[in-house]
Amino acid sequence: MDVRGEASTAGWARWGTAKDVKLPDSASRLLAQVLELTPPPSVVALAAVAVPDCELDGAVLDALRQVVGDGHVITTQEARVRHASGMSTPDLLRERHGDVRRAPQAVIRPADHRQVVSVLDICSRLGVAVVPFGGGTSVVGGLTPAATRYVALDLGRLNQLLAVDPVSRTATLQAGLRAPQATELLAEHGFTLGHVPQSYEYATIGGFAATRSSGQASAGYGRFDDMVMGLTVATPRGTVRAGRAPASAAGPDLRQLFLGSEGTLGVITDVTVRVRPLPARSHYEGWRFESFADGLHAVRRLAQDGPRPTLLRLSDEIETMIGAAGSGRSEGGCLLVVGYEGEEVLPTVEATADVLAAHGGVPLGEEAGQQWARHRFDAPYLRDALLDAGAFAETLETAAYWSALPEVHGRVRQAILDALPDGALVLGHVSHVYETGASLYFTVICSPGSDPIGRWRTAKAAASEAIAATGATISHHHGVGADHRAWYAAEIGDVAVDLLRAVKQQLDPAGILNPGILVP
Amino acid sequence: MDVRGEASTAGWARWGTAKDVKLPDSASRLLAQVLELTPPPSVVALAAVAVPDCELDGAVLDALRQVVGDGHVITTQEARVRHASGMSTPDLLRERHGDVRRAPQAVIRPADHRQVVSVLDICSRLGVAVVPFGGGTSVVGGLTPAATRYVALDLGRLNQLLAVDPVSRTATLQAGLRAPQATELLAEHGFTLGHVPQSYEYATIGGFAATRSSGQASAGYGRFDDMVMGLTVATPRGTVRAGRAPASAAGPDLRQLFLGSEGTLGVITDVTVRVRPLPARSHYEGWRFESFADGLHAVRRLAQDGPRPTLLRLSDEIETMIGAAGSGRSEGGCLLVVGYEGEEVLPTVEATADVLAAHGGVPLGEEAGQQWARHRFDAPYLRDALLDAGAFAETLETAAYWSALPEVHGRVRQAILDALPDGALVLGHVSHVYETGASLYFTVICSPGSDPIGRWRTAKAAASEAIAATGATISHHHGVGADHRAWYAAEIGDVAVDLLRAVKQQLDPAGILNPGILVP
C-alpha cells in the first residue's frame, strides 16, 4: 500500500494507490452527456515540484535531532512536499499543478510521548509552528496552516498497541497507528474497534480523535468520540491525561475539549478506546424506497425504536440513479444499504426487514448490499479518476435533527446548483443515524472550468451558507480545518470563540500548534 | 410536597417532607447491636437561626430589583437560611445546630435567560458572588461557596417547557424545572426523559446538567449528559449556545465544558434534551447471586453483550444483609434488582433471565424488585431518620473499569472501616453499568461521636484517597462541589487545572460564579 510520506512516488497528487479504481464506462458516458468535461493539464511530477530552501537554522534542527534522533529530522524535498497538505480537492488541484507554496521546513518523527513533549517545548521556545501529521487525509484543509516557518510532526513512529484489558474491553492505541494496523493488532486479541470511515486505509487513531471521525458502521459501533475512554495529550505546557473511568461527574469532560481540536490545542499521543469482540458474522443487503422521504422515515424508525443494524446508508434519488448507471441497475427510487455485524445477525436482519417492509421498502437482496461493501473505500479514488477525466468532484457533509433534514437536503442541494449555473450533479445520502437526527452527505460533480479552485470556493461557500441558514452543523465528520473556519465561528458564537482562544492561549501561549486551523 | 426555599418550615434541616420514611424496627435493633448510638441534640428551629444582616447596600439591591422585579429580590431570614447550603451530611448537621455561617445576602429570582444575563452583568461589575440554586440537593458542598458577599440565584421561575419536536424526539426545558414537573409536562406530549435519580423529587433540569447527574434507569436511558443535545448558558461575558445537531465534528464539544461545571463557568438556563416515548410497560424483579463477584460477572455480561435491561442494581453482601434485615428476608448472597421499561418488555425479561441464570443467578420474583421500586427515593429520608436516631449516615460513590471494580470495592470499604475504628457499617452497590465498567456506591453508617463533622472529614478523606489510589474517578454522579475539590485537582492534573482556571478567567473575569466550588 502506498502511504503518503513514505517511499513510493506513484501516489503523488492522488488519494492513494492502494487500489486502482476506474470510472465505469457507463458513468463516463453519463458525465459526458450532462457536463462539459475539460481535459486537465498533466500532473507535475513529484520530483519537479519546487519547494523553497529550509529556512530553519542549524541550531533549531540540531535541537530537534537531539530529541528524536538524527534520522528523524527530515528535510528532503520529497518528505517536505508529501507533508505539505491534506487531501481536499483544492489540495489535490494545487499538487497536480506542482504548487506547494507552504511545505513544512522539516518533517519531525518522534518515537514516543516524551519526545513529542520535548519537540513542542523546543518549538514553543524557538517560535516554530508545529502541524501534527497522522494519515494526511484531511479533506477540509486541516494540514495547511497559516504559517511558513513550521514543521510537520509525523506521528508514524507512535504505532504501538500499548495495552489491552479484555475484561473491561478497552485498549490503548498510540496515535500514529493507521486504522488497518490497529485492526490487525486488536484482532490478535479477538477485538475490533468497528471504526471504518472512508479514509480507513490511510487514516490514524490520533487523526480519528483529533477530528471526531465517524465510521460507516457508526449505527452499530458509534462515532469515534463515543469510543474514547481516555487520551493523552502533549501540549507546550505539559501533559494532560483526560478520562479514567467509564463515566464520571468529576467536572467538565476534558476529553471533549481535545477531541475535535484538530492539533490546535495539543498533540494526542495515545487514546484508550472501548473495543468489541470481533464479530462472528456480517451481512449486507439492499432495499429500495420509492422516495428519499419514505427512506428517511424508515431509517428514522430504526434509529429511534430499533432494531438497530450496524450500518444504514440511504441514497437520495440522484445518487441512486448515478450508482445504478454505474452498475447497470435502474430501478429508480432510493437505495438503502443495510449492514449487520455480530455474534448472531439473523434475528436483527429479520426484525429490521419487518420494519423496512412496513415502511414501503422493497428488498433488493444481498448482492445490492455486497456491491456497496466491495466498493466502500472507492469514492476518494473515483475523485482522482474524475479529475483525470476532466471533471471535478467534491464532497461535503452536515448533520441535523430529523425534522429539519428534508429542508437541509433541499436547500443545500439547491444552493450548490445555483452556485454552479453551467451544470452540476449533486448526489446526497444519509449514512450516520441517531435518535434525534442524522448526517447528510453531498457529492458534487461539475466541470472544472478555467478556475477550478475559484469555482470550488464559490460552491463551497454557497453550501456552507445554506447549512448555516438551516441551523445544521458545519460538519458531521470531516471537521473544521481551514475551510470551515468562518462558518464554525458563526456556529459557536463570539463568546465561545473567545473561550476557545483563551484555552489555546493557556495551552499554547506561543501559538505554534496548527496556526490558522479551527480557531479563528 | 415541601420544597426548600418555599413556604413550609417542616422540612427544615432534613432532605424533605414529601414522604414520612421511618427506620424499620428491625433495622433500629440491628443498628443498636453494632453501633453506639448517640442521642442527638434537638434541631434548632428555622426561625431561631441567626443570620448576619444583609451587607449589600441599597443601590445593589435596587439594581437587581430593576432587573427581576421588586418581589424577586428576597432578603428575609427564612429565604436566606433556606438557600444557605445543600444536602450533604455536614450541611444537615450544621443546619440542625442552627449554624448557618454563610447564608446568601439575598435570594434573586430571575424570570428568564435575559434576566439571568443582566443579573450576572450587575454582580460582575459590583463584585457580588452568585451561586446558582436549583433544587438545592447537592450532597458534595456544591452550594457553600468560599464567599460571604454572595447572592443565591434561585432559578425556580425558569420552569417552562419551551419546545417539543416530536419527530426528532427533542424537548427544550428551562433549567429551573423540577424533575416531576418536567415529567408531567413531557407526558402531556407522550414523552419521558427517563431520568430518575434519587434526588428526583426535588432536583432540577439545570442541576442535572450542571452536575452530570445519572438516574437509576441509566442502563436504559443513559446518563443526563448523554441526553443533552444543546444548552443555553448565561455567563458574565454573554450567552453561549452549544449544540445544534445530533452529532458534530465541528471542533471541541463545548456542551461538555458546561455540563459538570457546577455553576462556576456560567448559569445554564435551558437544556435541549433527547426524549423517548412514554413506556407502555414496566417490570421489576429480584435475583440472588451467591457473591458480589458472581453478580458483577453477570451484570458485566449484560452491559457488554446485552440484552440491556433499563435498570440494574447489584447490592454487595453487606447491603443485601442490611436490606434483608429491614424487610424480613434473609437469603444471604447478593441482591440484584432488574427493571425493564418499554413498548414491550417480555422478550427482554426472558432473554435477560437466561443470561442471569447462566451466571448463577436465582430468580426471587417480582416482589423483590417492586419492593425496591416502592422505596426508590427513600434513602435520603432514611438518613434523616438515622440522624434522629443518633446514628450518622453518609454516601459516596465512584466509577471504575470492570477489571478494577473488585479492588476499588475492597480498598474503599477497608479505608472507611480503618478510618472509623469504633465501628461502622459499609454497604455497597453497583447501580450504573457501561460496556467498560460501572459505578460503585457506598453507604456508611456509624455513630456520630462527639465531633461528627470531624469524623465525617476523616472518613471522607480516607475513602477519597483510596478511590484516587485505585485510579477510579472521584465522582460518578454526585459531582465535585467543595468536598471533592482536592481529589478532583489531583485527578485531572496541573495542566488541566490551569486550563480550567483559564476558562473561568475568560468567562467570569471577576470570579463571581460559585467561588471555591470545583475549580481549585
Side-chain angles (χ1 to χ4, degrees):
Chain A
M1 184 188 297
D2 172 60
V3 158
R4 287 169 71 89
E6 292 181 5
S8 158
T9 60
W12 159 246
R14 308 181 81 77
W15 174 254
T17 55
K19 53 174 69 78
D20 183 23
V21 179
K22 290 203 166 46
L23 214 55
D25 287 344
S26 54
S28 297
R29 279 195 302 274
L30 179 72
L31 279 179
Q33 283 166 20
V34 295
L35 299 177
E36 190 177 333
L37 301 182
T38 311
S42 58
V43 177
V44 173
L46 193 158
V49 175
V51 289
D53 289 341
C54 175
E55 288 172 17
L56 298 181
D57 62 35
V60 176
L61 295 173
D62 283 347
L64 293 169
R65 283 190 188 103
Q66 283 194 0
V67 172
V68 299
D70 279 2
H72 299 293
V73 174
I74 306 165
T75 55
T76 62
Q77 177 261 6
E78 179 175 339
R80 293 174 61 204
V81 170
R82 282 191 178 278
H83 288 79
S85 65
M87 290 288 185
S88 75
T89 302
D91 286 341
L92 292 185
L93 287 169
R94 279 192 285 261
E95 285 187 352
R96 284 169 169 250
H97 285 84
D99 173 9
V100 178
R101 283 167 296 184
R102 284 185 180 161
Q105 303 294 329
V107 178
I108 316 297
R109 291 170 48 87
D112 55 28
H113 174 79
R114 195 184 46 77
Q115 290 188 6
V116 175
V117 172
S118 297
V119 167
L120 294 186
D121 180 53
I122 289 169
C123 289
S124 197
R125 283 190 285 108
L126 300 178
V128 177
V130 175
V131 178
F133 195 101
T137 59
S138 171
V139 291
V140 292
L143 296 164
T144 47
T148 53
R149 192 179 149 82
Y150 81 96
V151 296
L153 191 74
D154 189 313
L155 296 162
R157 290 170 77 200
L158 281 80
N159 61 359
Q160 306 296 307
L161 170 59
L162 296 180
V164 176
D165 176 347
V167 173
S168 310
R169 294 190 183 167
T170 64
T172 303
L173 300 160
Q174 282 191 308
L177 269 172
R178 288 173 195 278
Q181 290 176 283
T183 299
E184 265 178 49
L185 292 170
L186 288 172
E188 290 171 15
H189 297 267
F191 290 113
T192 182
L193 265 176
H195 185 69
V196 191
Q198 208 162 53
S199 59
Y200 178 83
E201 297 159 300
Y202 305 105
T204 60
I205 295 298
F208 292 151
T211 63
R212 294 187 177 272
S213 173
S214 191
Q216 293 164 343
S218 70
Y221 290 96
R223 299 166 57 81
F224 195 77
D225 47 20
D226 293 332
M227 303 175 191
V228 175
M229 299 287 106
L231 33 76
T232 305
V233 188
T235 82
R237 288 291 180 105
T239 297
V240 177
R241 291 182 211 282
R244 61 161 65 188
S248 174
D253 185 347
L254 297 176
R255 295 173 302 185
Q256 305 295 334
L257 203 51
F258 295 102
L259 292 167
S261 65
E262 302 188 10
T264 62
L265 304 180
V267 179
I268 297 166
T269 56
D270 66 56
V271 183
T272 298
V273 285
R274 174 199 78 197
V275 293
R276 299 233 174 112
L278 279 169
R281 288 172 187 77
S282 68
H283 174 89
Y284 296 95
E285 56 184 41
W287 286 73
R288 182 187 168 281
F289 285 85
E290 193 60 33
S291 67
F292 195 49
D294 286 355
L296 280 178
H297 190 205
V299 296
R300 175 164 68 85
R301 281 268 72 79
L302 294 174
Q304 292 184 331
D305 297 323
R308 184 74 85 102
T310 310
L311 178 149
L312 284 165
R313 189 184 194 283
L314 175 70
S315 296
D316 68 6
E317 290 87 348
I318 306 290
E319 186 172 284
T320 302
M321 185 187 75
I322 302 288
S327 72
R329 287 177 287 112
S330 61
E331 296 92 353
C334 288
L335 174 67
L336 172 69
V337 174
V338 194
Y340 306 84
E341 291 188 3
E343 181 66 23
E344 278 190 285
V345 298
L346 214 59
T348 314
V349 171
E350 288 170 358
T352 303
D354 289 346
V355 175
L356 295 176
H359 287 81
V362 176
L364 300 177
E366 292 189 45
E367 174 53 23
Q370 283 164 357
Q371 182 178 332
W372 173 85
R374 280 194 300 276
H375 297 287
R376 63 192 299 171
F377 303 131
D378 284 6
Y381 299 93
L382 278 172
R383 178 176 56 166
D384 291 333
L386 284 165
L387 286 170
D388 291 343
F392 184 99
E394 175 62 314
T395 61
L396 56 97
E397 37 82 67
T398 182
Y401 297 121
W402 289 113
S403 59
L405 272 182
E407 187 194 350
V408 179
H409 179 246
R411 283 181 69 171
V412 174
R413 201 182 129 65
Q414 194 57 49
I416 297 167
L417 290 171
D418 290 348
L420 297 167
D422 59 348
L425 290 168
V426 181
L427 294 59
H429 67 253
V430 159
S431 48
H432 305 265
V433 299
Y434 305 89
E435 285 183 65
T436 59
S439 69
L440 260 180
Y441 193 97
F442 297 92
T443 302
V444 184
I445 304 169
C446 64
S447 59
S450 57
D451 176 16
I453 293 183
R455 181 164 284 197
W456 171 85
R457 194 168 290 120
T458 304
K460 177 76 178 171
S464 300
E465 289 297 332
I467 287 170
T470 58
T473 181
I474 195 62
S475 175
H476 170 268
H477 61 270
H478 282 174
V480 176
D483 295 354
H484 292 148
R485 199 174 46 202
W487 293 281
Y488 172 61
E491 180 169 328
I492 65 172
D494 292 346
V495 179
V497 166
D498 287 342
L499 169 60
L500 268 189
R501 286 194 179 120
V503 169
K504 183 165 174 68
Q505 172 67 25
Q506 174 62 31
L507 294 173
D508 175 24
I512 59 164
L513 284 166
N514 222 1
I517 307 301
L518 184 68
V519 188
Chain B
M1 182 187 299
D2 174 58
V3 157
R4 287 168 72 87
E6 293 182 4
S8 158
T9 60
W12 159 245
R14 306 181 81 78
W15 175 254
T17 54
K19 53 173 70 77
D20 184 23
V21 179
K22 291 202 164 47
L23 216 53
D25 287 345
S26 54
S28 296
R29 281 195 302 274
L30 179 73
L31 279 178
Q33 283 166 20
V34 295
L35 299 177
E36 189 178 336
L37 301 182
T38 310
S42 60
V43 177
V44 174
L46 194 157
V49 175
V51 289
D53 289 341
C54 174
E55 288 172 16
L56 297 182
D57 62 36
V60 175
L61 296 173
D62 283 346
L64 293 169
R65 283 189 188 107
Q66 282 195 2
V67 172
V68 299
D70 279 2
H72 299 294
V73 174
I74 306 166
T75 55
T76 62
Q77 178 260 8
E78 178 175 340
R80 291 175 61 204
V81 170
R82 283 192 178 278
H83 289 78
S85 66
M87 290 286 184
S88 74
T89 302
D91 285 342
L92 291 185
L93 287 170
R94 279 192 286 260
E95 285 187 353
R96 282 169 171 251
H97 285 84
D99 173 9
V100 177
R101 283 167 298 185
R102 284 186 180 158
Q105 303 295 329
V107 178
I108 315 297
R109 293 170 46 87
D112 55 27
H113 173 79
R114 195 184 48 77
Q115 290 189 5
V116 175
V117 172
S118 297
V119 168
L120 295 185
D121 180 54
I122 289 169
C123 290
S124 197
R125 283 189 284 109
L126 300 178
V128 177
V130 175
V131 178
F133 195 100
T137 59
S138 171
V139 291
V140 292
L143 295 165
T144 47
T148 51
R149 192 178 149 82
Y150 80 97
V151 294
L153 191 74
D154 189 312
L155 296 163
R157 291 170 75 201
L158 281 80
N159 60 0
Q160 304 298 308
L161 169 60
L162 296 179
V164 176
D165 176 347
V167 172
S168 310
R169 294 190 182 167
T170 64
T172 303
L173 299 160
Q174 282 190 308
L177 267 173
R178 289 174 194 276
Q181 289 178 284
T183 298
E184 265 178 49
L185 292 170
L186 289 172
E188 291 171 13
H189 296 267
F191 289 113
T192 182
L193 267 175
H195 186 68
V196 191
Q198 209 162 52
S199 60
Y200 178 84
E201 298 159 300
Y202 304 106
T204 59
I205 294 298
F208 292 151
T211 63
R212 294 187 177 276
S213 173
S214 191
Q216 293 164 344
S218 70
Y221 290 97
R223 300 166 57 79
F224 195 78
D225 47 19
D226 293 332
M227 302 174 192
V228 174
M229 299 288 105
L231 33 74
T232 305
V233 188
T235 82
R237 287 292 180 107
T239 297
V240 178
R241 292 183 211 281
R244 63 161 67 188
S248 175
D253 185 347
L254 298 176
R255 294 173 304 184
Q256 306 295 334
L257 203 52
F258 295 101
L259 292 166
S261 65
E262 302 188 9
T264 63
L265 304 180
V267 179
I268 297 166
T269 56
D270 65 57
V271 183
T272 298
V273 286
R274 173 198 79 197
V275 293
R276 298 233 174 113
L278 279 169
R281 287 172 187 77
S282 69
H283 174 89
Y284 296 94
E285 56 184 40
W287 286 72
R288 182 187 168 282
F289 285 85
E290 194 59 34
S291 68
F292 194 48
D294 285 356
L296 279 178
H297 191 203
V299 295
R300 175 164 67 85
R301 282 268 70 79
L302 294 174
Q304 292 183 332
D305 296 324
R308 185 75 85 100
T310 309
L311 178 148
L312 284 166
R313 188 183 193 283
L314 175 70
S315 296
D316 68 7
E317 289 87 349
I318 307 290
E319 185 170 286
T320 302
M321 187 188 74
I322 302 286
S327 73
R329 287 177 287 112
S330 61
E331 297 92 351
C334 288
L335 174 67
L336 172 68
V337 174
V338 195
Y340 306 84
E341 291 187 2
E343 182 64 23
E344 278 189 286
V345 298
L346 213 60
T348 312
V349 171
E350 287 171 357
T352 303
D354 289 346
V355 175
L356 295 176
H359 287 80
V362 176
L364 301 178
E366 290 188 46
E367 174 52 24
Q370 284 164 356
Q371 182 178 329
W372 173 85
R374 280 195 300 275
H375 297 287
R376 63 192 299 172
F377 303 132
D378 284 7
Y381 298 93
L382 278 173
R383 179 177 56 167
D384 292 332
L386 285 164
L387 286 170
D388 292 343
F392 184 99
E394 174 62 315
T395 61
L396 57 97
E397 37 81 66
T398 181
Y401 296 122
W402 289 113
S403 59
L405 272 182
E407 188 196 349
V408 179
H409 180 246
R411 283 181 68 172
V412 173
R413 201 183 128 65
Q414 194 57 49
I416 296 166
L417 290 171
D418 290 349
L420 297 166
D422 59 349
L425 290 167
V426 180
L427 294 59
H429 67 253
V430 158
S431 48
H432 304 266
V433 299
Y434 305 90
E435 284 183 66
T436 60
S439 67
L440 260 180
Y441 193 97
F442 297 92
T443 302
V444 185
I445 303 169
C446 65
S447 60
S450 58
D451 176 16
I453 293 184
R455 180 164 284 199
W456 171 84
R457 194 169 288 119
T458 304
K460 178 77 179 171
S464 299
E465 289 298 332
I467 287 170
T470 58
T473 181
I474 195 61
S475 174
H476 171 268
H477 62 270
H478 282 174
V480 176
D483 295 353
H484 292 148
R485 201 175 44 201
W487 293 281
Y488 172 61
E491 179 168 327
I492 66 173
D494 292 345
V495 179
V497 167
D498 288 342
L499 170 60
L500 268 190
R501 286 193 179 122
V503 169
K504 183 164 174 71
Q505 171 66 28
Q506 174 62 32
L507 293 174
D508 175 24
I512 59 163
L513 284 166
N514 222 0
I517 306 302
L518 185 68
V519 187

